[in-house]
Amino acid sequence: MKKAKKWLAVIPLALMSVTMAGMPAWTGTVSAAVANSFSDVPAGHWAYDAVSKLAKAGLIDGYSDKSFQGDKTISRYEFAFIVAKALDRFDNADDANKQLIDKLSAEFASELNRLGTRVSKVETKTNTWVGGETRLRFVSDDPGVSGGSQLKGADRFDFRQRIKFSGTVNDTISWAGRITTSGTNKFGNTEYNSGSEISLDLMSVTAKNVLGMDSIRVGRSALDFYSGGLFGKPMNVDGVLINHTFGNASFKGWTGNIKNAGNNGDANQLTTGQVGFRLADNMNVKTGYYWADIPGTKKGRGEGTVNISGGATASNVFTSSKGWTAGFDYKLGRYTLIGDYVSTTLENPNGLPSNPKGWAVQLSNSQGPAVLFPSVNLVNPVKVGTDAWMASYRSIDPGAIPAGAGNFDSTAVAYAAQPYNIFTHGTDNVNVLYLAYQNVIAKNVILSLEYQDFKIKNRDLTDLSSDKLNQTYMMKFELFY
């Protein structure tokens, strides 16, 4: 692959010698000849400041700050070598730093090509990239529901392995895919459905500047863009996403299959449209509308899609839904406040209020993207020693969010047969306090501690004698590469 070719070209040169500042030094006739084939970058060149910003963001390391502040003149080869390292971490950069990397790639394109990186001017970095994620978790819970059973033994330990592939087709078309192990990988279980089953949970193609839009994405992806995080799903959502920006405003629209096809070929279609506005450097607002051809059902003790009680067999409590959302994010110094709200209208409601609502609020000292946790991590995995915390509260009426589109579903672990299961009903008929802390304990290794306290919101629609559903505890290690 081209990435391997790049390092085959770069490594022999890099190994010639390294100064204490971390920059390649030139000793001997051969190395001097290589150095002399690249001109120096003059002091005051914008690239010094750009690379300094990338170093502060943790996208390159092993170099002295003085290398980028005019204390030392650097050759174009040395800059190309640094840019090549930044390209390897392109996916971890924010939008501003991605633009810097693109600009540097254009400036040093010929040098990068000579090193085997094969990057043309503002072209995406390589044809194929491979990355991955390994997750190890310890989970525990304290169910308060009659008939509930606490997690025990090996059921409190699980793992997940993901391998991501991405690449470019040409200047405007890129693709991404991911394979993952099943969600029931318990320690000690090695049979097919608990340790070896894998699936393709992401597979999409994105085209830029097409049909008058900034981008159009088609395929299987995550539903992680709508609202501030009440709506969301990390994988297995097939559909079409369009993005377009108008000055300080942006539009995002999506339509697709949010769940597996139901009876009679029902596609369970979800369609959304959202407009966002940048009101100030530290504040954004967004509002949107959705239509969901996804029915709500009740069965047993919270065994339907809606977290209420029902009969022995599933029956509809509404046939479809639609509604509007509003959200904001506000940054004040080190802190970020996020709020999200949804108001829904149920079609053909049966035993449910026709206008359920839901809201969530989160306060964090994270400097990352302003989206409700755990849609994104609170920390950047390349910045060793950094940490962040968040505290959030959500209150969701039954039926307020279409089944399968709740971003907080699957954030807590409990037995599947648990009454009013908080694993599948993390975003329906609940009031939840959610606390989390993350620390980058080593490069690309995140330690997370999470706690959730679940209470039922509308107890009149259940057979419960108490509001308490469950308390969950989680410790996890995630390795990114």
Side-chain angles (χ1 to χ4, degrees), residues 19 46 51 64 119 122 203 307 324 369 396 434 446 449 456 475:
T19 67
W46 63 266
V51 171
S64 167
V119 177
V122 191
M203 186 65 252
N307 200 22
W324 60 272
I396 318 293
Y434 193 2
I446 296 178
L449 303 174
I456 201 73
M475 178 175 68

Side-chain angles (χ1 to χ4, degrees), residues 327-347:
F328 73 91
D329 61 81
Y330 177 70
K331 291 192 175 185
L332 180 62
R334 295 179 54 200
Y335 302 100
T336 301
L337 179 65
I338 304 173
D340 221 357
Y341 179 82
V342 58
S343 177
T344 293
T345 299
L346 303 179
E347 299 295 327

Side-chain angles (χ1 to χ4, degrees), residues 106-306:
E107 172 69 24
F108 299 99
S110 63
E111 287 79 16
L112 287 166
N113 281 322
R114 291 171 69 181
L115 293 175
T117 312
R118 299 174 184 249
V119 177
S120 60
K121 285 196 175 178
V122 191
E123 187 180 40
T124 310
K125 306 334 140 220
T126 185
N127 278 351
T128 304
W129 293 88
V130 179
E133 170 202 337
T134 300
R135 185 185 74 184
L136 306 171
R137 295 194 308 184
F138 168 79
V139 294
S140 183
D141 72 335
D142 181 19
V145 177
S146 173
S149 180
Q150 188 176 29
L151 292 166
K152 55 184 180 294
D155 291 330
R156 294 179 296 170
F157 300 86
D158 66 17
F159 68 90
R160 183 183 68 194
Q161 180 62 53
R162 288 173 169 173
I163 301 176
K164 181 180 179 181
F165 305 88
S166 61
T168 61
V169 178
N170 53 43
D171 289 349
T172 60
I173 300 177
S174 60
W175 62 273
R178 187 175 70 190
I179 59 176
T180 181
T181 55
S182 66
T184 56
N185 296 290
K186 304 296 183 182
F187 286 167
N189 290 344
T190 56
E191 64 269 23
Y192 176 75
N193 64 350
S194 294
S196 303
E197 184 178 9
I198 63 173
S199 63
L200 183 68
D201 66 350
L202 298 177
M203 186 65 252
S204 64
V205 175
T206 300
K208 298 185 297 183
N209 303 318
V210 60
L211 300 178
M213 296 292 138
D214 290 346
S215 67
I216 298 178
R217 186 187 70 199
V218 181
R220 181 166 299 173
S221 61
L223 179 66
D224 57 358
F225 70 94
Y226 186 56
S227 189
L230 279 178
F231 279 76
K233 193 175 183 181
M235 55 194 174
N236 287 332
V237 176
D238 298 338
V240 180
L241 167 69
I242 60 175
N243 287 279
H244 195 64
T245 301
F246 311 84
N248 289 330
S250 62
F251 172 77
K252 293 185 177 182
W254 185 87
T255 185
N257 183 357
I258 195 67
K259 293 171 64 68
N260 295 328
N263 296 331
N264 301 317
D266 186 354
N268 290 311
Q269 194 83 3
L270 175 69
T271 301
T272 68
Q274 174 182 281
V275 179
F277 302 93
R278 186 179 182 87
L279 298 185
D281 290 342
N282 62 343
M283 186 171 184
N284 299 283
V285 297
K286 58 194 73 174
T287 184
Y289 202 84
Y290 82 89
W291 301 260
D293 182 25
I294 303 173
T297 64
K298 65 177 180 179
K299 179 185 177 182
R301 305 183 67 201
E303 297 173 27
T305 62
V306 182

Side-chain angles (χ1 to χ4, degrees), residues 300-318:
R301 305 183 67 201
E303 297 173 27
T305 62
V306 182
N307 200 22
I308 62 177
S309 60
T313 58
S315 59
N316 279 3
V317 288
F318 59 88

Side-chain angles (χ1 to χ4, degrees), residues 29 38 208:
T29 304
F38 295 88
K208 298 185 297 183

Side-chain angles (χ1 to χ4, degrees), residues 45-55 60 97 100 103-104:
H45 193 281
W46 63 266
Y48 288 94
D49 181 60
V51 171
S52 179
K53 290 179 180 178
L54 296 179
I60 57 174
N97 284 326
L100 280 180
K103 189 176 179 181
L104 287 165

